[in-house]
Amino acid sequence: MTVLGVVGAGTMGAGIAQLGAAAGMRTLLHDPVPEALERGTEGARRGLAKWVEKGRVGEDTAGLLETVSSLDELAPCDLVIEAAPEQPDLKRDLFGALSIVCRDDVVLATNTSSIPVTSLAGAAARPENVVGMHFFNPPPLMPLLEVIRAEQSGDRAVQTAVDAGRAMGKEVILVADGPGFLVNRCGRPFSAEGLRLLQERVATHEQIDRICRLGGGFRMGPFELMDLVGIDVGFEVAKSFTELSFGEPRWRPSPIQARMVAAGRLGRKSGRGYYEYAEGTPYRPDDPDPPEPGGGDGMTLAVVGSGPLADALRERARAAGYELREGGPAELVVDAGVRPHPSPPGGAPLLVLCAATSLLARGEQGAVGFHLLPPLDEAKLVELTRLPTTQPFAAEAAEEFFAKLGLSAEWVEDAPGLVLGRIVCQLVNEAAFAIGEGVGSADDVDAGLTLGLSHPRGPVAWSELAGVDHVLAVLDALWEERREERYRAAPRLRRAAVLGRSLQN
Ligand SMILES: NC(=O)c1ccc[n+]([C@@H]2O[C@H](COP(=O)([O-])OP(=O)(O)OC[C@H]3O[C@@H](n4cnc5c(N)ncnc54)[C@H](O)[C@@H]3O)[C@@H](O)[C@H]2O)c1
């Protein structure tokens, strides 16, 4: 029988111990603080009892969980997972001590979420036996485990960690060491680009969150999420990414985070972050239901441009009762191609997709800009933008058109990709950098973000639905219009777009 040691009986350690016993391992849980050990053990036992009740595990599993009050009692372990506080020196000391206490072939794993595993492995007597096992909170419920291969990790240690994770019922992804490993790295643009959009005042934080929920199908927008995690925690993570990468512009913290922390607005835990949290009052209103689709009543419509979005809009407009007239003349013209159509039919209100340019850079000063991402049958919201020169009747026509397609409108300021497009394209870009740099495979990125961060789909899947050319067009336009290094496209993404391939290969 495998003997598992868990060091640190806090939020993560208690959950990991529960998983170990449930997987049939003799599990020794240790914490130097007696009350913490007691609390953690109780939590793990309660969790196991629930699983026994549900028939998920046998009654004998509770007997597999033992508490040990000294580190020396971990001597018989085959694998030790440390879930002690996130302090490099403390973890290094632990690995040094465990190297003396345990057998030479013990595998030592760290549940760190931000310290390079390579730097911790150096503190063990046998660095080849060290790996990262990054569980997600709460470990018993979250289906993902990220196994991190440090520079020194040997194949046996990696395999031991992968096997233990699978025995615990986890989907295991194997990733390289580096800032944020794979999941937290690839998830970073969600908040980082959200903050950027807020800083540029493209939209308010409430709007950005609503757009992510209703336009993109995310459970929460970036600002709700930052409030939940703690704005101070997110700020520290951003600073550590910058330090570890020697200043990568995509990962720099935002001055907004610094300001919020300085003001003591740390999120839910302090009663105020981007939102206010008061007993009995919801922090935001419920989302509106989208309008009922239909009512096109034979109105003539020209949708120009090609690609998944243009095709989906045509289909949805037809279903809503519009009469499609390719090439015009028509009562409404929608340019839904990724690249601007050279000569959309004139004489009618014009709606243009803000992908390869902002509305301003496109030069159609009377038009309305819009952006949304496929799959349209899941979207409930479209983003619209206007210039001071936009014709009011074109703005009305845009709202009416999308309402008949069953989409509510959110007016935001002009930018390539508007809000959701910018966030999703940066998620795809980060994934393309990570895949290109060998941090993990395309499948691992999508598994990581859906199972680890509960995204509605992974960045690779997004890029396939929208088209890699759409993603690249938004990034290149941001680069062109902002001249900021954070918008440079990943070489892997450009290659996929030029060759017409997926990020998969
Ligand atoms: N909480 C999360 O969402 C989360 C997610 C993934 C990874 N992690 C990582 O897991 C680790 C633990 O996080 P947590 O949230 O469970 O923290 P926690 O504060 O809930 O638990 C830490 C436990 O370690 C104990 N401890 C203190 N000094 C110790 C020592 N010298 N040796 C052993 N144990 C000691 C404490 O008594 C406490 O019970 C951290 O590295 C953290 O970055 C946390």
Side-chain angles (χ1 to χ4, degrees):
M1 184 187 283
T2 302
V3 184
L4 170 71
V6 179
V7 179
T11 312
M12 298 305 288
I16 296 167
Q18 179 183 334
L19 286 166
M25 301 176 201
R26 180 177 166 216
T27 302
L28 310 180
L29 179 59
H30 167 71
D31 197 297
V33 180
E35 305 81 60
L37 183 58
E38 203 182 311
R39 210 176 323 119
T41 310
E42 266 174 29
R45 287 201 193 288
R46 248 194 330 270
L48 283 171
K50 261 194 214 147
W51 281 355
V52 171
E53 243 172 64
K54 288 186 182 163
R56 267 188 65 173
V57 297
E59 281 182 22
D60 50 336
T61 48
L64 293 174
L65 180 63
E66 299 169 35
T67 55
V68 298
S69 51
S70 87
L71 211 57
D72 291 343
E73 291 172 82
L74 296 175
C77 290
D78 302 295
L79 167 67
V80 178
I81 305 174
E82 74 76 18
E86 189 75 344
Q87 296 162 18
D89 287 343
L90 186 152
K91 290 189 192 280
R92 289 172 60 84
D93 287 351
L94 261 178
F95 276 5
L98 286 165
S99 299
I100 297 167
V101 165
C102 299
R103 290 194 313 267
D104 282 1
D105 64 350
V106 68
V107 171
L108 300 178
T110 172
N111 184 45
T112 178
S113 35
S114 64
I115 305 167
V117 180
T118 300
S119 73
L120 298 178
R126 290 159 294 277
E128 67 277 15
N129 290 346
V130 174
V131 284
M133 286 179 81
H134 184 218
F135 290 84
F136 292 78
N137 188 11
L141 298 184
M142 295 298 281
L144 188 77
L145 170 68
E146 204 174 17
V147 170
I148 298 118
R149 184 190 278 276
E151 282 301 314
Q152 311 95 318
S153 303
D155 291 342
R156 189 188 65 90
V158 170
Q159 196 56 50
T160 302
V162 169
D163 291 345
R166 292 202 178 124
M168 292 173 179
K170 300 299 170 199
E171 172 86 27
V172 180
I173 59 174
L174 183 56
V175 312
D177 199 9
F181 314 128
L182 184 142
V183 176
N184 286 341
R185 169 182 171 164
C186 289
R188 266 203 65 66
F190 193 56
S191 53
E193 198 57 23
L195 284 161
R196 199 66 184 189
L197 286 155
L198 182 65
Q199 191 181 350
E200 287 181 20
R201 295 208 185 187
V202 172
T204 65
H205 69 270
E206 291 99 339
Q207 284 185 301
I208 296 169
D209 283 353
R210 188 159 51 240
I211 290 164
C212 287
R213 289 191 305 270
L214 297 181
F218 289 88
R219 272 195 212 161
M220 270 190 186
F223 295 94
E224 298 167 272
L225 186 64
M226 285 185 269
D227 270 2
L228 184 66
V229 170
I231 295 171
D232 51 337
V233 175
F235 186 41
E236 288 307 315
V237 170
K239 284 196 282 190
S240 117
F241 266 69
T242 302
E243 200 183 311
L244 291 171
S245 66
F246 305 108
E248 167 54 54
R250 297 193 307 284
W251 296 340
R252 269 188 213 138
S254 163
I256 297 176
Q257 289 172 297
R259 212 160 52 221
M260 295 293 282
V261 172
R265 295 184 185 162
L266 307 182
R268 281 194 195 197
K269 63 185 171 190
S270 70
R272 178 150 184 199
Y274 296 103
Y275 296 89
E276 278 202 52
Y277 300 88
E279 276 287 319
T281 324
Y283 67 92
R284 65 165 174 84
D286 285 342
D287 286 326
D289 284 330
E292 271 303 308
D297 297 334
M299 202 175 151
T300 55
L301 168 75
V303 180
V304 296
S306 57
L309 181 64
D311 292 344
L313 278 176
R314 283 189 191 95
E315 194 183 309
R316 195 138 161 175
R318 219 176 269 121
Y322 281 90
E323 187 189 324
L324 269 87
R325 295 229 180 116
E326 292 307 310
E331 291 164 83
L332 182 70
V333 176
V334 181
D335 183 358
V338 169
R339 308 262 155 215
H341 194 281
S343 53
L350 177 64
L351 278 50
V352 300
L353 180 69
C354 290
T357 69
S358 61
L359 181 58
L360 180 71
R362 177 171 172 132
E364 298 276 6
Q365 291 179 353
V368 173
F370 75 95
H371 195 273
L372 75 172
L373 285 172
L376 284 204
D377 49 357
E378 288 176 26
K380 296 179 180 154
L381 177 149
V382 61
E383 291 170 65
L384 301 177
T385 193
R386 62 199 293 175
L387 298 171
T389 47
T390 295
Q391 293 154 324
F393 69 85
E396 276 167 36
E399 277 194 13
E400 195 186 314
F401 170 65
F402 284 112
K404 286 177 179 168
L405 265 54
L407 296 163
S408 47
E410 191 80 47
W411 287 93
V412 299
E413 293 300 317
D414 187 22
L418 302 182
V419 170
L420 183 67
R422 265 173 74 164
I423 290 176
V424 168
C425 291
Q426 281 287 58
L427 283 167
V428 176
N429 200 30
E430 192 63 58
F433 271 116
I435 297 165
E437 291 166 14
V439 177
S441 71
D443 285 343
D444 286 347
V445 171
D446 276 12
L449 268 60
T450 51
L451 303 177
L453 302 182
S454 305
H455 283 198
R457 63 185 58 77
V460 178
W462 274 116
S463 73
E464 285 170 0
L465 282 167
V468 176
D469 57 333
H470 187 146
V471 177
L472 184 63
V474 170
L475 291 168
D476 279 349
L478 285 163
W479 161 255
E480 194 58 41
E481 296 184 26
R482 300 285 188 282
R483 294 282 163 187
E484 283 186 74
E485 234 191 304
R486 62 191 295 125
Y487 296 116
R488 72 191 190 279
R492 179 93 184 189
L493 181 71
R494 196 171 296 286
R495 191 182 82 175
V498 172
L499 299 180
R501 303 184 82 111
S502 143
L503 284 175
Q504 290 276 1
N505 43 43

